[in-house]
Amino acid sequence: MDDLAELEFTLPDQKGWADIKRLCKLKKAQINALESTLAEAADRCEELKKKSDLPDKDIKSALKSLDKAFERLTLQLGRKDIQDALAAIENGGAIGFLLSSSAIKQLEGIKDPAVSTLELNRLINQKRHLGQAVLHSELDRLCLADRQRLLHHSMMDGMSLAIEHLRAPITSWLMQAKQNKGGRQPKSDREWVIFLLARDAELIIDDQPSNNVRSKFFNLCTVVLNACKFDEVGYEEAVDRCLEKYNEWLAWSRLSPLTAPGQD
């Protein structure tokens, strides 16, 4: 795995944003798009600090093993003897506790129950009296018993749904890795900024990414990287290298996002 350079990304300060607006001549909607892109860059760069040192091939091998385990478990849940066994035991409301109300709406034949207005108002008034915020867990508690009752005889269906959702990000990553034919995500903060600017170029500058030093995209990269306090050495090589190195990832990122399981 490539060694990570010391991370140096910072979001533009007030002067940096003023320079970007002036030198790139961006409209308000384009500035908003750039703000969103750089906010994502900040999150990605933060992830770099926590990123596993595993090479991509080891990540792929481990995820394939886990995906196979989920596949085998799904097949086991399709066995009638296992379905009968699950129906015969007391599940203690476990599936209703683990699944959200939004999740169980995907199960056939499950009706979304209403929360009692009386109970909801009682909770809100109690919290208002104490000067406290209503917590998500407290709202969930109002519908938990109904959810557990609904899933009392649907343990197998609930388990299948949970496995489907747990497996989704793994199969998505493996599919992406397969489509990318071995390409990698950026592994330095400057690469991430250039990559995301290239991905969102049409929204920000209404133009395609280009390594031409006279292009709107190269100008955008230069101004933004300066505003983000990167070392100014090697911008031209960095843009050219990033566009070439991550061409497959750029193509992949422009595809329509995958829908959540059961939402096709």
Side-chain angles (χ1 to χ4, degrees), residues 223-234:
V223 175
V224 169
L225 292 174
N226 282 338
C228 293
K229 306 294 191 300
F230 283 101
D231 187 340
E232 297 183 19
V233 176

Side-chain angles (χ1 to χ4, degrees), residues 186-197:
K187 288 182 168 60
S188 77
D189 50 354
R190 187 168 73 171
E191 281 185 338
W192 260 121
V193 174
I194 297 172
F195 172 81
L196 292 174
L197 289 175

Side-chain angles (χ1 to χ4, degrees), residues 115-126 134 139 142:
V115 176
S116 165
T117 304
L118 180 63
E119 291 182 351
L120 181 59
N121 287 336
R122 184 184 294 122
L123 173 62
I124 293 173
N125 290 333
Q126 179 186 31
V134 176
L139 286 174
L142 296 180

Side-chain angles (χ1 to χ4, degrees), residues 76-143:
Q76 291 295 310
L77 288 175
R79 288 171 44 182
K80 187 176 185 306
D81 60 331
I82 289 181
Q83 294 175 10
D84 291 343
L86 286 175
I89 66 173
E90 175 57 54
N91 63 60
I95 295 299
F97 178 79
L98 291 174
L99 295 182
S100 69
S101 297
S102 297
I104 70 166
K105 286 174 64 177
Q106 296 181 36
L107 293 176
E108 186 176 351
I110 296 293
K111 181 180 178 182
D112 193 14
V115 176
S116 165
T117 304
L118 180 63
E119 291 182 351
L120 181 59
N121 287 336
R122 184 184 294 122
L123 173 62
I124 293 173
N125 290 333
Q126 179 186 31
K127 287 294 184 173
R128 183 182 292 123
H129 177 72
L130 296 173
Q132 299 174 348
V134 176
L135 302 179
H136 288 183
S137 58
E138 292 168 328
L139 286 174
D140 184 67
R141 194 179 304 132
L142 296 180
C143 55

Side-chain angles (χ1 to χ4, degrees), residues 20-125:
I20 291 172
K21 293 176 184 178
R22 176 173 55 86
L23 297 173
C24 296
K25 300 177 181 178
L26 302 181
K27 299 176 182 178
K28 182 174 178 54
Q30 294 172 315
I31 285 290
N32 291 340
L34 178 58
E35 288 176 345
S36 177
T37 298
L38 292 185
E40 182 178 347
D43 291 339
R44 298 283 189 172
C45 291
E46 187 64 29
E47 289 175 8
L48 279 176
K49 300 176 184 177
K50 308 171 185 176
K51 189 172 177 63
S52 168
D53 289 333
L54 282 176
D56 286 350
K57 63 181 180 63
D58 289 348
I59 296 174
K60 185 175 182 180
S61 175
L63 290 181
K64 285 179 73 173
S65 296
L66 184 56
D67 188 57
K68 285 291 185 184
F70 279 137
E71 183 181 25
R72 288 193 294 271
L73 183 54
T74 300
L75 291 174
Q76 291 295 310
L77 288 175
R79 288 171 44 182
K80 187 176 185 306
D81 60 331
I82 289 181
Q83 294 175 10
D84 291 343
L86 286 175
I89 66 173
E90 175 57 54
N91 63 60
I95 295 299
F97 178 79
L98 291 174
L99 295 182
S100 69
S101 297
S102 297
I104 70 166
K105 286 174 64 177
Q106 296 181 36
L107 293 176
E108 186 176 351
I110 296 293
K111 181 180 178 182
D112 193 14
V115 176
S116 165
T117 304
L118 180 63
E119 291 182 351
L120 181 59
N121 287 336
R122 184 184 294 122
L123 173 62
I124 293 173
N125 290 333

Side-chain angles (χ1 to χ4, degrees), residues 3 42 60 80 86-87 92 97 143 168 170 200 219 229 239 250 252 260:
D3 291 332
K60 185 175 182 180
K80 187 176 185 306
L86 286 175
F97 178 79
C143 55
I170 297 170
D200 299 342
N219 179 63
K229 306 294 191 300
V239 172
L250 287 169
W252 179 263

